[in-house]
Amino acid sequence: GTLRGAWGFRGSVVSDCDCVAGVHGGPDYTPTDAGAVAATINAGCDQDCGSWTHDFGEAAVRDGLVAEGALRGALARVLEMRFRLGEFDDAAKNPHARVTATCAPADKALALQAARESVVLLNNSAGLLPLPLALDGGGGARPRIAVVGPLANASDVMMGGKSDFLPCDGPPVSVLAGIASHGADIVGYAPGCADGAACENASGFAAAAAPAAASDVAVAVVGIDGSVEMEGHDRDNVTLPGAQEALLEQLAAA
């Protein structure tokens, strides 16, 4: 009702992988495999990224669990999308058939533009940013910077949850390496959390507070990585893991 009614969406809806299977089982879900397929199709999900609809869709139809209108609508939307993509056309005339991953300069420039436009700065009320680093050419005094936090020197985390896609120009760059590459005056680095992003071991807090106290600006890099949350490894809250918030408080006090 919301997606297609209120918002006017006319495209096809596909589940996340194996999520149709997740509708099956438990007291709050459908009790049968075919029932899970029927529930998702009747709710407006056209395709299953997984095997559940393929394996149990026929039973759902045979048992009369799927509304015919919902089934026809799903089929029409999937076929329309495939026709629009040219899947039934001559491959030689289909531009989508020739799309490949590329590291051409124009594509790299577009990727950089997309990355820059997706960054969100929540608050800069103190006017602290951008930092006057060595290559900025401002001519003023450079701040002494401490780079701290469990993810400050982590590179893979910069790629997000799908880190099986590598950048064109080698491995990703950590925040520490990125700041250093601009010739910044880094007075110290310390992870703070002795056990990484989980941050259940606070024995390194003092070692992180020391460079923070000796600096003009402390860049604290906290958050989550694959050890805390990833595909198939969910969290039940969205707070900073472990004692990371306590680390930030100690850095601020320093």
Side-chain angles (χ1 to χ4, degrees), residues 8-203:
F9 180 71
R10 296 293 176 261
S12 177
V13 174
V14 58
S15 77
D16 195 7
C17 295
D18 299 320
C19 279
V20 172
V23 179
H24 167 237
D28 298 325
Y29 302 95
T30 59
T32 66
D33 303 325
V37 173
T40 56
I41 293 177
N42 290 336
C45 183
D46 303 324
Q47 297 184 83
D48 173 13
C49 175
S51 63
W52 225 247
T53 298
H54 175 274
D55 293 343
F56 303 107
E58 183 178 352
V61 173
R62 184 180 62 243
D63 295 345
L65 302 176
V66 180
E68 183 174 346
L71 187 63
R72 287 180 176 273
L75 180 62
R77 286 186 290 269
V78 171
L79 286 174
E80 180 185 4
M81 179 182 65
R82 295 184 65 187
F83 274 113
R84 292 177 65 186
L85 287 172
E87 289 190 7
F88 303 101
D89 298 337
D90 184 348
K93 300 178 181 179
N94 180 7
H96 299 288
R98 299 190 296 273
V99 173
T100 60
T102 173
C103 288
D107 297 315
K108 290 166 61 178
L110 181 60
L112 178 60
Q113 176 187 349
R116 284 173 170 163
E117 292 184 4
S118 67
V119 172
V120 178
L121 179 63
L122 295 181
N123 192 318
N124 191 30
S125 58
L128 186 66
L129 300 175
L131 297 175
L133 302 181
L135 300 185
D136 289 345
R142 292 184 299 152
R144 297 167 300 162
I145 300 175
V147 185
V148 294
L151 301 178
N153 198 30
S155 56
D156 286 349
V157 72
M158 304 303 294
M159 299 173 63
K162 295 298 291 183
S163 56
D164 46 351
F165 297 97
L166 298 176
C168 292
D169 299 322
V173 178
S174 69
V175 172
L176 174 63
I179 292 176
S181 71
H182 284 273
D185 182 8
I186 297 179
V187 298
Y189 153 73
C193 303
D195 54 348
C199 203
E200 297 173 351
N201 185 337
S203 61

